[in-house]
Amino acid sequence: MKAFFAALFLLVSLNSYSQTLDYTRKYLKTIVRQQMVEIQQLKDENSKLKSSLEEGKIAADNKREEYRLESNKSLENLRIELRSKEMELKERTQEKESAQVAMQQSQKLVEILANQVADLKMATPQYSLDNYVLPERESEAVPVVRRSYRAPRTSYITGPRGGCYYINSNGNKTYVDRSLCQ
């Protein structure tokens, strides 16, 4: 009998062990399914994060590229503005230089004209009371005109190639030794 009870106990134990095993198997399958769902959710979330990260990188790259393009445009605009300012400065400098040359030429012309006027004034006869000769008789008083000319004052001009000249009474250039212009 002992063997019978031992076999019965063994059979009941095996049956209960089998049921426990089935229950444990079902429980483990449920846990595995839940973990599979959680793994899938984590994978989905991970792929979303990866895509949003890539979108963020793309957006950052786009922003960087836009900034670089804007910087290049701004730099190019500044270069263009600088070139235009340089051109304006060159034009103003040229205008100033041409105005200075014109001023120098006009000053020389004024000087030449002043010299010619002075030469004409000096060449005009000068009358004085000394020019009248009183005759011995008053009825014979005839004025005798004595003309005195002053030597014309000359102003020497240095030409563009270093020559020295003055403008004569006819308005022509008369070249003289260069040492007179110094």
Side-chain angles (χ1 to χ4, degrees):
M1 210 119 190
K2 277 187 178 184
F4 175 71
F5 282 121
L8 184 64
F9 177 73
L10 188 61
L11 188 61
V12 170
S13 295
L14 278 176
N15 191 16
S16 123
Y17 180 70
S18 170
Q19 284 178 353
T20 306
L21 209 63
D22 284 341
Y23 175 74
T24 306
R25 209 178 284 146
K26 286 179 185 178
Y27 177 72
L28 287 175
K29 281 183 181 181
T30 306
I31 290 177
V32 166
R33 279 190 204 124
Q34 287 175 351
Q35 286 182 349
M36 292 292 278
V37 167
E38 286 180 16
I39 288 172
Q40 188 60 39
Q41 287 174 348
L42 288 174
K43 282 182 180 179
D44 292 343
E45 196 173 316
N46 189 19
S47 66
K48 286 179 185 177
L49 286 174
K50 281 183 181 179
S51 67
S52 66
L53 180 64
E54 287 180 21
E55 288 173 4
K57 283 182 181 178
I58 291 171
D61 288 344
N62 288 343
K63 289 243 185 216
R64 254 187 259 122
E65 185 65 20
E66 286 176 16
Y67 178 74
R68 188 182 65 79
L69 289 174
E70 268 187 43
S71 297
N72 287 344
K73 285 180 185 176
S74 298
L75 186 60
E76 189 61 33
N77 288 341
L78 288 173
R79 286 181 182 151
I80 290 169
E81 188 175 337
L82 180 63
R83 284 184 201 126
S84 68
K85 294 290 183 186
E86 286 174 347
M87 293 300 289
E88 283 181 31
L89 183 62
K90 283 181 183 178
E91 289 173 3
R92 286 184 183 169
T93 304
Q94 289 174 349
E95 288 173 1
K96 184 177 178 183
E97 289 173 355
S98 64
Q100 287 175 345
V101 167
M103 181 85 135
Q104 289 172 351
Q105 289 174 348
S106 64
Q107 285 175 346
K108 284 183 180 180
L109 288 174
V110 166
E111 184 178 319
I112 291 168
L113 290 174
N115 288 337
Q116 288 179 352
V117 167
D119 289 346
L120 285 175
K121 284 182 180 178
M122 285 184 217
T124 307
Q126 301 293 322
Y127 297 100
S128 67
L129 291 177
D130 294 337
N131 293 338
Y132 289 97
V133 176
L134 295 176
E136 294 173 7
R137 290 185 254 154
E138 230 175 272
S139 61
E140 296 177 0
V142 176
V144 177
V145 177
R146 294 182 195 150
R147 292 184 180 183
S148 62
Y149 292 98
R150 293 186 209 155
R153 191 185 71 154
T154 56
S155 175
Y156 297 109
I157 302 164
T158 303
R161 291 190 281 169
C164 185
Y165 64 91
Y166 68 92
I167 306 297
N168 61 23
S169 60
N170 295 332
N172 298 324
K173 293 180 183 178
T174 303
Y175 283 90
V176 294
D177 188 46
R178 289 184 182 184
S179 64
L180 293 174
C181 285
Q182 295 176 357

